[in-house]
PDB file of all heavy atoms in Angstrom:
ATOM      1  N   HIS A  65      -6.155  -1.531   2.842  1.00  0.00           N
ATOM      2  CA  HIS A  65      -6.589  -0.281   2.208  1.00  0.00           C
ATOM      3  C   HIS A  65      -6.626   0.843   3.231  1.00  0.00           C
ATOM      4  O   HIS A  65      -6.859   0.616   4.419  1.00  0.00           O
ATOM      5  CB  HIS A  65      -7.963  -0.443   1.543  1.00  0.00           C
ATOM      6  CG  HIS A  65      -9.116  -0.356   2.497  1.00  0.00           C
ATOM      7  ND1 HIS A  65      -9.570  -1.439   3.213  1.00  0.00           N
ATOM      8  CD2 HIS A  65      -9.897   0.692   2.882  1.00  0.00           C
ATOM      9  CE1 HIS A  65     -10.579  -1.075   3.988  1.00  0.00           C
ATOM     10  NE2 HIS A  65     -10.811   0.218   3.809  1.00  0.00           N
ATOM     11  N   GLU A  66      -6.366   2.048   2.742  1.00  0.00           N
ATOM     12  CA  GLU A  66      -6.441   3.265   3.545  1.00  0.00           C
ATOM     13  C   GLU A  66      -7.628   4.101   3.074  1.00  0.00           C
ATOM     14  O   GLU A  66      -7.978   4.074   1.893  1.00  0.00           O
ATOM     15  CB  GLU A  66      -5.161   4.076   3.386  1.00  0.00           C
ATOM     16  CG  GLU A  66      -3.897   3.332   3.784  1.00  0.00           C
ATOM     17  CD  GLU A  66      -2.625   3.962   3.245  1.00  0.00           C
ATOM     18  OE1 GLU A  66      -2.718   4.975   2.516  1.00  0.00           O
ATOM     19  OE2 GLU A  66      -1.545   3.427   3.532  1.00  0.00           O
ATOM     20  N   LYS A  67      -8.217   4.825   3.994  1.00  0.00           N
ATOM     21  CA  LYS A  67      -9.327   5.720   3.644  1.00  0.00           C
ATOM     22  C   LYS A  67      -9.227   6.984   4.497  1.00  0.00           C
ATOM     23  O   LYS A  67      -8.881   6.924   5.672  1.00  0.00           O
ATOM     24  CB  LYS A  67     -10.681   5.031   3.815  1.00  0.00           C
ATOM     25  CG  LYS A  67     -10.873   4.324   5.132  1.00  0.00           C
ATOM     26  CD  LYS A  67     -12.109   3.434   5.073  1.00  0.00           C
ATOM     27  CE  LYS A  67     -12.216   2.574   6.330  1.00  0.00           C
ATOM     28  NZ  LYS A  67     -11.141   1.554   6.395  1.00  0.00           N
ATOM     29  N   ILE A  68      -9.520   8.091   3.874  1.00  0.00           N
ATOM     30  CA  ILE A  68      -9.326   9.398   4.510  1.00  0.00           C
ATOM     31  C   ILE A  68     -10.610   9.803   5.230  1.00  0.00           C
ATOM     32  O   ILE A  68     -11.676   9.924   4.602  1.00  0.00           O
ATOM     33  CB  ILE A  68      -8.941  10.438   3.451  1.00  0.00           C
ATOM     34  CG1 ILE A  68      -7.584  10.058   2.828  1.00  0.00           C
ATOM     35  CG2 ILE A  68      -8.899  11.837   4.058  1.00  0.00           C
ATOM     36  CD1 ILE A  68      -7.251  10.829   1.575  1.00  0.00           C
ATOM     37  N   PRO A  69     -10.547  10.010   6.552  1.00  0.00           N
ATOM     38  CA  PRO A  69     -11.749  10.412   7.297  1.00  0.00           C
ATOM     39  C   PRO A  69     -12.006  11.914   7.161  1.00  0.00           C
ATOM     40  O   PRO A  69     -11.082  12.705   6.951  1.00  0.00           O
ATOM     41  CB  PRO A  69     -11.419  10.036   8.736  1.00  0.00           C
ATOM     42  CG  PRO A  69      -9.934  10.164   8.824  1.00  0.00           C
ATOM     43  CD  PRO A  69      -9.398   9.823   7.448  1.00  0.00           C
ATOM     44  N   PHE A  70     -13.261  12.298   7.292  1.00  0.00           N
ATOM     45  CA  PHE A  70     -13.626  13.715   7.256  1.00  0.00           C
ATOM     46  C   PHE A  70     -14.910  13.906   8.048  1.00  0.00           C
ATOM     47  O   PHE A  70     -15.683  12.958   8.254  1.00  0.00           O
ATOM     48  CB  PHE A  70     -13.821  14.200   5.811  1.00  0.00           C
ATOM     49  CG  PHE A  70     -15.011  13.577   5.113  1.00  0.00           C
ATOM     50  CD1 PHE A  70     -16.241  14.233   5.061  1.00  0.00           C
ATOM     51  CD2 PHE A  70     -14.907  12.332   4.510  1.00  0.00           C
ATOM     52  CE1 PHE A  70     -17.336  13.658   4.428  1.00  0.00           C
ATOM     53  CE2 PHE A  70     -16.002  11.741   3.880  1.00  0.00           C
ATOM     54  CZ  PHE A  70     -17.221  12.408   3.836  1.00  0.00           C
ATOM     55  N   TYR A  71     -15.142  15.134   8.512  1.00  0.00           N
ATOM     56  CA  TYR A  71     -16.403  15.464   9.172  1.00  0.00           C
ATOM     57  C   TYR A  71     -17.449  15.762   8.098  1.00  0.00           C
ATOM     58  O   TYR A  71     -17.245  16.633   7.242  1.00  0.00           O
ATOM     59  CB  TYR A  71     -16.237  16.670  10.089  1.00  0.00           C
ATOM     60  CG  TYR A  71     -15.458  16.371  11.344  1.00  0.00           C
ATOM     61  CD1 TYR A  71     -14.327  17.101  11.680  1.00  0.00           C
ATOM     62  CD2 TYR A  71     -15.864  15.353  12.216  1.00  0.00           C
ATOM     63  CE1 TYR A  71     -13.616  16.833  12.840  1.00  0.00           C
ATOM     64  CE2 TYR A  71     -15.153  15.073  13.372  1.00  0.00           C
ATOM     65  CZ  TYR A  71     -14.034  15.817  13.677  1.00  0.00           C
ATOM     66  OH  TYR A  71     -13.330  15.542  14.824  1.00  0.00           O
ATOM     67  N   ARG A  72     -18.550  15.051   8.152  1.00  0.00           N
ATOM     68  CA  ARG A  72     -19.571  15.173   7.104  1.00  0.00           C
ATOM     69  C   ARG A  72     -20.157  16.589   7.042  1.00  0.00           C
ATOM     70  O   ARG A  72     -20.440  17.101   5.953  1.00  0.00           O
ATOM     71  CB  ARG A  72     -20.684  14.148   7.338  1.00  0.00           C
ATOM     72  CG  ARG A  72     -20.254  12.710   7.127  1.00  0.00           C
ATOM     73  CD  ARG A  72     -21.428  11.760   7.258  1.00  0.00           C
ATOM     74  NE  ARG A  72     -21.036  10.370   7.080  1.00  0.00           N
ATOM     75  CZ  ARG A  72     -20.941   9.746   5.921  1.00  0.00           C
ATOM     76  NH1 ARG A  72     -21.203  10.420   4.808  1.00  0.00           N
ATOM     77  NH2 ARG A  72     -20.591   8.481   5.850  1.00  0.00           N
ATOM     78  N   GLU A  73     -20.327  17.217   8.174  1.00  0.00           N
ATOM     79  CA  GLU A  73     -20.981  18.530   8.167  1.00  0.00           C
ATOM     80  C   GLU A  73     -20.061  19.620   7.633  1.00  0.00           C
ATOM     81  O   GLU A  73     -20.455  20.417   6.774  1.00  0.00           O
ATOM     82  CB  GLU A  73     -21.454  18.888   9.577  1.00  0.00           C
ATOM     83  CG  GLU A  73     -22.226  20.202   9.626  1.00  0.00           C
ATOM     84  CD  GLU A  73     -22.830  20.473  10.994  1.00  0.00           C
ATOM     85  OE1 GLU A  73     -22.857  19.557  11.842  1.00  0.00           O
ATOM     86  OE2 GLU A  73     -23.287  21.627  11.208  1.00  0.00           O
ATOM     87  N   SER A  74     -18.828  19.667   8.120  1.00  0.00           N
ATOM     88  CA  SER A  74     -17.912  20.750   7.730  1.00  0.00           C
ATOM     89  C   SER A  74     -17.028  20.393   6.546  1.00  0.00           C
ATOM     90  O   SER A  74     -16.386  21.262   5.959  1.00  0.00           O
ATOM     91  CB  SER A  74     -17.010  21.110   8.911  1.00  0.00           C
ATOM     92  OG  SER A  74     -16.119  20.040   9.206  1.00  0.00           O
ATOM     93  N   ARG A  75     -16.964  19.101   6.200  1.00  0.00           N
ATOM     94  CA  ARG A  75     -16.048  18.590   5.167  1.00  0.00           C
ATOM     95  C   ARG A  75     -14.601  18.890   5.534  1.00  0.00           C
ATOM     96  O   ARG A  75     -13.755  19.084   4.663  1.00  0.00           O
ATOM     97  CB  ARG A  75     -16.392  19.172   3.790  1.00  0.00           C
ATOM     98  CG  ARG A  75     -17.778  18.743   3.301  1.00  0.00           C
ATOM     99  CD  ARG A  75     -18.230  19.546   2.115  1.00  0.00           C
ATOM    100  NE  ARG A  75     -19.546  19.097   1.644  1.00  0.00           N
ATOM    101  CZ  ARG A  75     -20.383  19.841   0.947  1.00  0.00           C
ATOM    102  NH1 ARG A  75     -20.044  21.086   0.632  1.00  0.00           N
ATOM    103  NH2 ARG A  75     -21.541  19.364   0.549  1.00  0.00           N
ATOM    104  N   GLY A  76     -14.342  18.950   6.828  1.00  0.00           N
ATOM    105  CA  GLY A  76     -12.996  19.212   7.306  1.00  0.00           C
ATOM    106  C   GLY A  76     -12.301  17.944   7.746  1.00  0.00           C
ATOM    107  O   GLY A  76     -12.918  16.887   7.920  1.00  0.00           O
ATOM    108  N   PRO A  77     -10.979  18.013   7.943  1.00  0.00           N
ATOM    109  CA  PRO A  77     -10.207  16.854   8.396  1.00  0.00           C
ATOM    110  C   PRO A  77     -10.486  16.534   9.855  1.00  0.00           C
ATOM    111  O   PRO A  77     -10.958  17.385  10.618  1.00  0.00           O
ATOM    112  CB  PRO A  77      -8.768  17.302   8.182  1.00  0.00           C
ATOM    113  CG  PRO A  77      -8.810  18.786   8.307  1.00  0.00           C
ATOM    114  CD  PRO A  77     -10.140  19.206   7.750  1.00  0.00           C
TER     115      PRO A  77
END
Side-chain angles (χ1 to χ4, degrees):
H65 80 275
E66 302 163 358
K67 49 192 173 292
I68 296 167
F70 67 96
Y71 287 124
R72 292 185 181 274
E73 184 173 348
S74 68
R75 296 167 179 157

